[in-house]
Amino acid sequence: MDRLRIQRIRELAIEKTLFLCALVSVLTTMGIVLVLVFETLSFFEEVPILEFLTGTTWAPSFRPQHFGVLPLINGTLMIALGAAVIALPLGIASAIYLSEYAKPGVKAVVKPVLEILAGIPTVVYGYFAISFITPLIREVVPGTNIFNAASASIVVGIMILPMVSSLSEDAMRSVPGALREGAYALGSTKFDVSTKIVVPAALSGIIASFILAISRAIGETMAVTLAAGATAKMTLNFFESIQTMTAYIVQVSLGDTPYGSIEYRTIFAVGAVLFVMTFIMNIASMWIKNRYREVYT
Amino acid sequence: MTTVIKTINLNAWYGEKLALIDVNTEIEENKITAIIGPSGCGKSTFIRCLNRMNDLVDIFRYEGEIIVDNININDIEPEALRKNVGMVFQKPNPFPKSIYDNIAFGPKIQGVKDKGELDSIVEQSLKKAALWDEVKDRLKDSALGLSGGQQQRLCIARTVAVEPEIILFDEPCSALDPISTSKIEDLMIELKKKYTIVIVTHNMQQAARASDYTAFFLDGKLIEFGDTKQLFRKPVEKSTEDYIIGRFG
């Protein structure tokens, strides 16, 4: 009888403890969102939101101050676009290779290596960009700024490549073998089967992986801070220095901007924009995945 | 009579496991040949040799000769062989595409681009598979919305669309209800006018009803091969008799 009660209390204690652990992450998330919202709102009391969202000059630490966030968004999207141009084709090609072509032995080596890429600290990627990619670009395109968007795009592209290839490969591998057999039986080559059957059937998973990877590129901080520089400007030239939203936040956080000043609070407004962008992309990725998931019987 | 498929001393292995032992067969044109036998007897392995479907299995290998249309199948590209030797699988496996695109897939792979020509291939193929009337108003709908029996007829139409000479059926009715099954059987009897058909089946009645010749496999060996009526009425081998009257398997 007693043992039974002790057992019950123990189970209850375990359940509550686990619940509290789960609660920590939920509360933290809520706390972050609340801080972001309050600080952003107080920022908008001084800077009109319209000016913030449509202004094309970003100069919070100069007089006169300008709070147009578009140059930062421009910089961020450039990096995301550049990284996507690198990572999407390479990622889907390596996913096709791993899922359809690679012999088990090769796959057992290549896949872990690709996934190790994802485990390298991003600051290391940053140094890789500065010390290897940038000099290479300057060889090819003389006159390139030492800090430039191209180098940062390439390195972020390499960084998000494992995400695209790994998630896309998962999606392709879950395409039933019976579909491949059906296509082979009609006289398809391996390339036909890969591109006309497997990729279309796995498309929702592939697109979801694209979006997640781009979302990661948008949020990437360390490598772009190191490689792309800190010049917020409206440009489409990849060989110039630019600044992304994340790099700006780092700059302010590390600098001597007085706490509570308007300059200081810009980082929350910028952070909120960033949050909204990645949040929308993550939701889109989930939605596409669920909406277009093929149900095989 | 014309022999279209011939196997000579065919031995096949999955890794170390011997799956077929000295199989010699001659399969006749425009007839239905049924392959029967208990699970694991090698009947599926046998027909998957005929269109080199087993090539997709890494550990598979075979010795002996397989001759289709007087050509050793190793002397031509597997893609060309499979175009000529179509296959319908155990479970209907339509592509997650529209009904139209399922049929047009094969011809497009073969290089047919003209829209009018594709339209006509789709219509003719669906008619040959007795599916046209049921789907002609919804060709753009997903094939996954069809019933199991319709999906299997779609797979037959898809196979017919690349104009093979031989069609292999690997237990095509095992996932279907009796009405769909009888439709597929009627269809096969209709199709044999133009195609040579080899069907693996677990269903003894199906073999007896639909086929002209029957081959009985046991433990990787071809035990008996002959006229269906004769084989079912008066089997020569004791094990054939035991199997068809249901003593095992």
Side-chain angles (χ1 to χ4, degrees), chain A residues 203-218:
Chain A
L203 200 60
S204 62
I206 294 170
I207 291 174
S209 83
F210 285 178
I211 295 177
L212 275 181
I214 291 171
S215 162
R216 162 97 199 273
I218 288 175

Side-chain angles (χ1 to χ4, degrees), chain A residues 89-101 114 164-170 172 206:
Chain A
L90 280 179
I92 193 164
S94 47
I96 290 175
Y97 172 72
L98 285 174
S99 156
E100 306 300 313
Y101 285 82
L114 261 177
V164 177
S165 69
S166 183
L167 293 178
S168 296
E169 197 242 342
D170 288 346
M172 290 181 200
I206 294 170

